[in-house]
Amino acid sequence: MKALLAVALMVQAVAPPPKFDSGRAWEHLRQLVAIGPRPSGSPAIEQTRTYIKTQLSAAGVGFIEQAWDDTTPLGKVHMVNIAATIPGARKDRVIIAGHYDTKLFRQFRFVGASDGGSSAAFLIELARVLKARKNPLTIELLFLDGEEAVIEWEGNDHTYGSRHYVDVAKRDGSLATLKALVLVDMIGDRDLRIRRDLNSTRWLTDVIWDSAKHLELDTAFVEDATRVEDDHMPFLQAGVPSVDIIDLEYEPWHTAKDTLDAVSARSLQLVGDVVIAALPQIEARLTKGVALTGRKVRHRQQHVLVNAHKKLGRHHRLKASAAH
């Protein structure tokens, strides 16, 4: 019996960590979409939070809720970020984040399979995978509320959750341990085509795109570039190296057609494989003591190069679209 136990322990010790399982991620996505529209402050987003917290608990990952009431063009709205922490060898943190709310539409039923659903489902599955991994840095999985504009992507009517998180981190001093942010958003598109974001930190973007190329997934992580405003912007402005992984070439974006029929488990798998493959390089860079800062981005009005997916004044403002 002792010999069998010893063998079992040896096998467990050398067993590789779990891999990202798109089947599991897809089931999470299916459950989230089944809840229906999930705008900030709604009973449905509360149900979504319950689902996320239940899954995190099942994975053995601890979490806290960061709740507040924010001022929006429609008045005060209750919002809640969920921060799940996987302790590492050091307290310095890498955040992998995504939003879990959906845009409020009264004209049609918007269930946000890719826009809001894919990032939340991705993070839930990532919790299971990274919990079993030996992490040199602490990893925080951050489910952001209030990414979507309540009315239009103008002024401060957007990125409520990320702006609140950064403001709190500045006040309580926790920003000092935050070394990098990887943001995922709209990663479910069946025809996945993620362009480099010119607002994102260059070295962090390079690590992720190099990992995709090494995995021969550069048809999904393409070299074309654009400029995106998203939940990474408050972190960049606070000096945190940040990258946005987002597919905005998505025809059902902010329409009733953003359903399970428009997304695929394979796309979730591709992004999962790339992010997990890039993590060791990100951690190596950060643990070498290299002084890194996120580029501060100055807001200025620009003309937008128009294509079929122009988002001016509505959402992730697509700006100059140019080859890298």
Side-chain angles (χ1 to χ4, degrees):
M1 181 63 71
K2 289 183 178 180
L4 288 174
L5 178 60
V7 170
L9 291 173
M10 289 176 61
V11 170
Q12 185 177 5
V14 299
K19 293 183 178 181
F20 190 92
D21 184 341
S22 58
R24 289 174 178 266
W26 181 262
E27 177 57 21
H28 296 314
L29 179 55
R30 191 186 69 80
Q31 294 282 354
L32 294 172
V33 169
I35 294 172
R38 307 173 297 282
S40 296
S42 67
I45 201 169
E46 177 61 36
Q47 186 179 347
T48 303
R49 278 193 289 275
T50 298
Y51 181 82
I52 292 170
K53 292 184 291 184
T54 299
Q55 297 305 316
L56 291 173
S57 296
V61 176
F63 59 86
I64 62 169
E65 294 185 80
Q66 185 183 65
W68 75 104
D69 292 330
D70 218 320
T71 303
T72 78
L74 295 180
K76 291 285 187 180
V77 175
H78 186 66
M79 299 185 186
V80 183
N81 293 330
I82 303 171
T85 300
I86 302 173
R90 293 171 55 175
K91 291 184 179 179
D92 288 343
R93 293 172 294 143
V94 173
I95 288 182
I96 305 174
H99 76 98
Y100 70 99
D101 61 310
T102 57
K103 180 82 170 72
L104 174 64
F105 288 104
R106 293 189 172 91
Q107 308 94 315
F108 54 86
R109 188 171 186 269
F110 180 69
V111 298
S114 189
D115 196 4
S118 65
S119 50
F122 176 86
L123 292 176
I124 294 170
E125 168 58 9
L126 205 58
R128 182 190 69 86
V129 177
L130 297 183
K131 171 67 176 177
R133 179 179 181 265
K134 289 186 177 180
N135 300 299
L137 299 174
T138 295
I139 294 178
E140 184 174 312
L141 302 174
L142 181 58
F143 298 79
L144 291 163
D145 199 350
E147 185 269 353
E148 297 285 5
V150 172
I151 296 180
E152 292 289 348
W153 190 278
E154 295 175 346
N156 286 329
D157 187 16
H158 53 76
T159 60
Y160 294 94
S162 52
R163 287 188 288 112
H164 181 78
Y165 183 94
V166 170
D167 287 345
V168 171
K170 288 177 179 177
R171 293 197 301 268
D172 67 14
S174 61
L175 191 67
T177 62
L178 178 49
K179 302 305 178 183
L181 169 86
V182 177
L183 177 68
V184 294
D185 190 3
M186 294 176 64
I187 55 171
D189 189 352
R190 282 183 174 274
D191 183 21
L192 195 65
R193 191 172 187 273
I194 300 170
R195 293 189 285 175
R196 288 174 172 262
D197 166 42
L198 295 175
N199 279 337
S200 294
T201 305
R202 178 63 183 266
W203 73 261
L204 198 49
T205 304
D206 286 346
V207 166
I208 289 172
W209 261 252
D210 288 347
S211 296
K213 188 173 183 179
H214 180 74
L215 294 172
E216 298 183 346
L217 297 177
D218 44 347
T219 55
F221 286 75
V222 300
E223 289 298 322
D224 293 346
T226 187
R227 200 175 293 275
V228 182
E229 292 183 5
D230 203 350
D231 271 323
H232 63 318
M233 297 300 288
F235 292 89
L236 283 167
Q237 291 160 358
V240 178
S242 305
V243 61
D244 191 10
I245 300 173
I246 183 170
D247 180 359
L248 276 170
E249 296 184 12
Y250 181 60
E251 188 174 351
W253 178 81
H254 281 186
T255 73
K257 294 181 180 180
D258 187 4
T259 64
L260 290 178
D261 291 336
V263 296
S264 77
R266 180 177 181 274
S267 295
L268 299 176
Q269 185 70 55
L270 296 183
V271 177
D273 290 345
V274 170
V275 169
I276 291 170
L279 260 181
Q281 298 175 64
I282 295 171
E283 292 161 334
R285 171 103 180 205
L286 296 175
T287 54
K288 285 179 181 177
V290 179
L292 302 171
T293 57
R295 181 181 55 171
K296 293 199 174 186
V297 181
R298 292 180 299 173
H299 292 282
R300 61 190 184 275
Q301 290 187 346
Q302 296 182 1
H303 291 291
V304 179
L305 296 184
V306 183
N307 62 22
H309 304 280
K310 175 180 169 185
K311 310 298 189 304
L312 181 60
R314 295 198 302 163
H315 190 47
H316 316 279
R317 250 174 231 195
L318 277 176
K319 296 185 180 175
S321 179
H324 198 273

